[in-house]
Amino acid sequence: MEAVDCVVVGAGVVGIAVARALAGAGREVLVLEAAEGIGTGASSRNSEVIHAGIYYPTGSLRARHSTRGRRLLYAFCASHGVAHNKCGKLIVATDRAELAKVETLLAQGLKNGVEGLEMIGGNAARALEAELSCICALSSPESGIVDSHGYMRALWGELEDNGGSIAFETPVERLAYVSGQWRVAFGGRDAGSATFDAVVNSAGLGAQALARRIDGYPAAKVPPLVLAKGNYFAFAGRPVFSRLIYPTPVDGGLGVHVTLDLAGRMRFGPDVEWIDHESYTVDPRRADSFYQRIRAYWPGLPDGSLVPDYCGIRPKLTGPGQTAADFMIAAEPAHGMPRLVNLFGIESPGLTSSLSLAEDVVDYLVA
Ligand SMILES: Cc1cc2nc3c(=O)[nH]c(=O)nc-3n(C[C@H](O)[C@H](O)[C@H](O)COP(=O)(O)OP(=O)(O)OC[C@H]3O[C@@H](n4cnc5c(N)ncnc54)[C@H](O)[C@@H]3O)c2cc1C
């Protein structure tokens, strides 16, 4: 491998968005990916929801990147022919305690500058979605869904148009800053090493492990990794909702919600299952709690209609009962190593935020 300007580790949606932005800024870019294709991690195991930016504390990276990223993403989808649907979303309150939570979310969303938010009564919500049971709902017309693979393919295409490329089956094993350059050792079929000017660690669940293999990287600057699995169940029947339907959030997640794909099919999830090692099987016994939670807002959910589907793992930095951590973008000011950006804790809404996160990473690396 010849010397290339920038290396991005990980070809998930964030890594590819960063690589495309660096290539667009005139850098030579190579993405090194352990798997055999793009987006095999969290990027293909999520709800494919374009979040409006309601939930996150004002001023946090999650608030800033989801609102800005959402606007950038809709514009990108429109200009690049990526399938998407700004179908809107209802966050429902089914009792008075939840009403207070939904009101708090409305205030938070307005503070975050989310457009079009509106509180509607139970009857108005049922006029939109006849099967819904709730006393009121927060309507978010800016929320939507996207074909995440179509989106990643479009990013990859632009990366290549600007001279960048992705090397698959190339796990990065070690990084060292030697004589003003980054020496990157990688395994796989064509194992070897190469030098780069700048490094972006966008390895998702592997980001902390990789940071620990950077020679001289301060161990205290590697945050904990907490795995929060999210399981999905598909609905075996005719879809009854045309918008995203969310309950109020729970510890570690946004609650078991109705998600739709672009063909209009319904599925439910993700729940929150704290785990200590990566595993991608969905336990069918979790269906019981799904029926119970979904029937709070959709009493008509038929028995036997939920089928175990897929799951994803959120790379969280905090565990159960703790205040949810923000995204962490660790560049030179955070750790003291030149032209190195580590992306930690890029869980939801990372898909929505990807274009905005990419802009920030470019700002750190391109003077
Ligand atoms: C259950 C769930 C639901 C979600 N729902 C939504 C949603 O609706 N909307 C939204 O905006 N966001 C959502 N998210 C968040 C979103 O999916 C992630 O934030 C996003 O996909 C993260 O992308 P990434 O590129 O950082 O990570 P990943 O997609 O995980 O990519 C990391 C890549 O790095 C590679 N890698 C790891 N280690 C190495 C190494 N040493 N060398 C080379 N390659 C390596 C991996 O193989 C992988 O391909 C959800 C996440 C989950 C888990």
Side-chain angles (χ1 to χ4, degrees), residues 9-16 32-35 37-51 170-173 202-207 210 213 228-232 246 257 270-271 311-315 327 343 346-353:
V9 184
V13 69
V14 175
I16 308 172
L32 300 180
E33 167 56 55
I38 57 168
T40 61
S43 298
S44 59
R45 300 174 162 277
N46 57 59
S47 302
E48 298 191 297
V49 169
I50 302 178
H51 285 291
T170 309
V172 173
E173 291 171 347
S202 184
L205 290 167
L210 184 62
R213 295 196 304 267
K229 188 169 161 187
N231 300 281
Y232 291 86
Y246 278 59
H257 47 261
D271 61 358
C311 64
I313 301 176
R314 307 167 181 92
F327 292 155
L343 297 172
I346 311 297
E347 54 139 331
S348 190
L351 169 64
T352 307
S353 304

Side-chain angles (χ1 to χ4, degrees), residues 33 101 217 245 268 320 332:
E33 167 56 55
K101 287 190 192 173
Y217 192 84
I245 310 291
F268 295 90
E332 184 172 355

Side-chain angles (χ1 to χ4, degrees), residues 93 95-106 119 136 248:
D95 58 30
R96 291 193 69 78
E98 288 182 356
L99 172 62
K101 287 190 192 173
V102 172
E103 280 169 345
T104 306
L105 289 176
L106 170 63
M119 201 66 124
C136 73
T248 50

